Amino acid sequence: MERVDRCVVLVDAGYLLGAAASLLAGEPARSRITVDHSALIQGLRERAQADTEQPLLRIYWFDGAPDRVPQPEHRRLRVMPRVTVRLGALTRSDGRWAQKGVDAAMHAELTELARNRACSDVVLVTGDGDLLPGLMSAKEHGVAVHLWAVQAADGDYNQSEDLVAEADERRVLDRAWITKAVRAKDLGGVCAPAPAPRPEIAAILSAPLPESALAASAERAAEAQAPVQAPPGRNGSAPGPAAPGPEPHPAPPPGKAVPTPKDLAGLRAPGADRGPAPAQPQHAAGATLRWSSDKGWVERPGSGPSGEPPETASLPTLAQLTSAEQRWADREEDITTVGGDPFEVGQVFARRWMERLPESGHVQKLSVMYPRVPHRIDGELLRYAARFGLLAHKDDQIDEHDRYAIRAGFWREIDVRAAESA
């Protein structure tokens, strides 16, 4: 088999981005840097072709991910031309994240490319000495191995000395090269265009809370800090508010400004000792609800046992509207074109839901409920978002700001369609 004259780049993302973070931000945490992946891939491609004097076959990007679920950055990378993403596991031990299987995957790819004579030159962007056997095997198959290092913050080596000694060619990606695509967050640098303002998220975050929800939140905080004591005149049959009468509730303490779902559930099911729930005022002018659940805020006439109003109970879910063929096409679209940005995820979900609705009146019915997404649809929306790795590193919970962004994207599409059909 004749060897093909072309180059391949194998990138250990943990090494490349960790070393870049150490160089630019003073510590190896990747959360401290902002990466323009398009610029980084283009830089790797141009540098590899210039150094090897061969056309590029492919860039392999090796990284770790929890349960090997692609993160948003991996989804963006794998749809780029000539880029293949290989994922190992990412596990947490003693409060730190560690990659598992990435070195083995790089070793297997390197030896397979050399054995099949798929390229004449291999560029390795790594510092791990575990790749030494693979590097030596590639050389024995007649492949020239170029080893690239990221400039070390302390001027010392950040690669295995055995790896450095065995490589055919060595290069250093210095600070000037790295900063074309990477910036330290704490330096205020951005290497990608700033995202467009999203007033929907700001409106939801800054909206006033209903007084009843604030009161419940404050009451629960007070009960947690003080021992339970029956007030004078109480028969002791059931716990309840400490003092009757119109005395105002205390303001919620710092850090408890947003009531929990448990607080809201308590508002909907008052105990027997509390008597009937006080009448809740209708939405004040300009008021916006934070929670997108049907199980809070106010009692609604005609609500069923589940707490879902009749006007939303008739809204079908996306799963009910999607055929098997459409489900397959949706997955293909998710893999190839959806980047995984929370706002974009909400838009894609809403667009599919509206396109498959049998009645256009459903959109108008939903649009007047802003910003409260019906409970069933909201749960389906968040489950869909979880496919894109938005749960990673967050103890199986989607970050609060990401949830706002997901719902804001959903409402943006609903508003556009409602305006078109009005």
Side-chain angles (χ1 to χ4, degrees):
M1 183 185 299
E2 185 178 353
R3 184 183 65 227
V4 180
D5 290 333
R6 54 193 177 188
C7 67
V8 172
V9 181
L10 305 183
V11 180
D12 179 351
Y15 166 77
L16 173 60
L17 300 182
S22 294
L23 178 64
L24 302 180
E27 59 180 271
R30 288 163 61 171
S31 60
R32 296 290 304 278
I33 57 175
T34 300
V35 183
D36 182 347
H37 290 90
S38 296
L40 182 58
I41 292 298
Q42 184 62 26
L44 289 170
R45 178 173 187 158
E46 293 174 355
R47 181 73 178 261
Q49 292 182 148
D51 281 8
T52 64
E53 299 181 349
Q54 301 294 345
L56 176 75
L57 170 62
R58 190 174 298 115
I59 295 175
Y60 288 90
W61 185 272
F62 296 87
D63 203 0
D67 298 323
R68 291 184 168 85
V69 176
Q71 304 302 290
E73 65 183 85
H74 302 139
R75 303 183 70 87
R76 290 191 293 272
L77 284 163
R78 67 184 184 181
V79 297
M80 294 180 184
R82 305 274 181 157
V83 176
T84 295
V85 176
R86 297 279 188 258
L87 294 180
L90 194 63
T91 59
R92 192 173 182 86
S93 177
D94 297 328
R96 301 185 65 181
W97 292 95
Q99 295 182 158
K100 300 294 183 182
V102 173
D103 297 335
M106 289 189 70
H107 178 278
E109 199 69 57
L110 175 59
T111 55
E112 193 70 13
L113 288 167
R115 184 181 300 114
N116 292 326
R117 305 179 74 83
C119 59
S120 58
D121 297 74
V122 169
V123 175
L124 290 178
V125 186
T126 185
D128 199 328
D130 290 345
L131 276 178
L132 183 61
L135 186 153
M136 296 174 67
S137 175
K139 290 175 61 177
E140 291 171 359
H141 284 87
V143 175
V145 179
H146 304 250
L147 183 66
W148 290 0
V150 176
Q151 179 181 341
D154 55 6
D156 201 355
Y157 282 114
N158 55 11
Q159 292 177 303
S160 162
E161 291 190 21
D162 291 335
L163 205 63
V164 171
E166 197 66 33
D168 295 308
E169 302 284 347
R170 293 172 292 279
R171 294 288 185 274
V172 174
L173 304 176
D174 59 16
R175 181 186 293 268
W177 189 93
I178 291 293
T179 52
K180 292 178 181 178
V182 184
R183 296 286 187 274
K185 286 183 178 179
D186 56 347
L187 298 180
V190 292
C191 51
R198 294 174 179 173
E200 299 87 350
I201 301 177
I204 295 174
L205 288 172
S206 63
L209 292 172
E211 294 181 2
S212 56
L214 290 173
S217 177
E219 181 179 333
R220 290 183 183 276
E223 290 176 355
Q225 295 176 0
V228 177
Q229 182 176 358
R234 181 70 63 85
N235 58 16
S237 60
E247 183 177 346
H249 291 279
K256 192 65 175 177
V258 179
T260 66
K262 188 175 181 181
D263 295 332
L264 301 178
L267 291 177
R268 293 189 61 84
D273 60 307
R274 296 191 182 190
Q280 301 295 339
Q282 296 300 317
H283 305 324
T288 307
L289 306 185
R290 285 178 185 250
W291 291 92
S292 63
S293 169
D294 288 331
K295 298 185 177 181
W297 303 126
V298 295
E299 292 289 343
R300 297 181 179 274
S303 296
S306 67
E308 187 168 13
E311 63 269 20
T312 62
S314 63
L315 294 175
T317 62
L318 179 60
Q320 294 170 335
L321 300 170
T322 303
S323 65
E325 292 79 7
Q326 288 173 323
R327 189 173 298 110
W328 181 87
D330 290 348
R331 284 298 261 177
E332 284 294 304
E333 182 183 5
D334 290 343
I335 292 171
T336 58
T337 63
V338 181
D341 174 76
F343 190 82
E344 179 191 10
V345 167
Q347 288 181 300
V348 171
F349 180 93
R351 192 178 306 126
R352 290 176 183 168
W353 184 74
M354 290 185 294
E355 288 173 350
R356 297 166 192 175
L357 284 173
E359 302 176 17
S360 59
H362 285 311
V363 176
Q364 294 295 339
K365 184 185 300 184
L366 179 63
S367 64
V368 299
M369 303 175 65
Y370 173 85
R372 185 177 55 85
V373 183
H375 188 64
R376 291 175 302 116
I377 296 176
D378 187 57
E380 189 180 36
L381 170 61
L382 295 180
R383 287 193 297 274
Y384 171 67
R387 296 181 188 175
F388 296 89
L390 295 173
L391 298 181
H393 309 287
K394 297 167 187 172
D395 300 323
D396 293 334
Q397 296 292 327
I398 297 179
D399 178 76
E400 183 179 18
H401 188 270
D402 285 349
R403 293 200 303 271
Y404 284 127
I406 292 165
R407 291 160 180 158
F410 175 87
W411 281 117
R412 169 65 64 82
E413 290 300 308
I414 297 294
D415 290 344
V416 170
R417 180 62 62 88
E420 291 175 351
S421 58

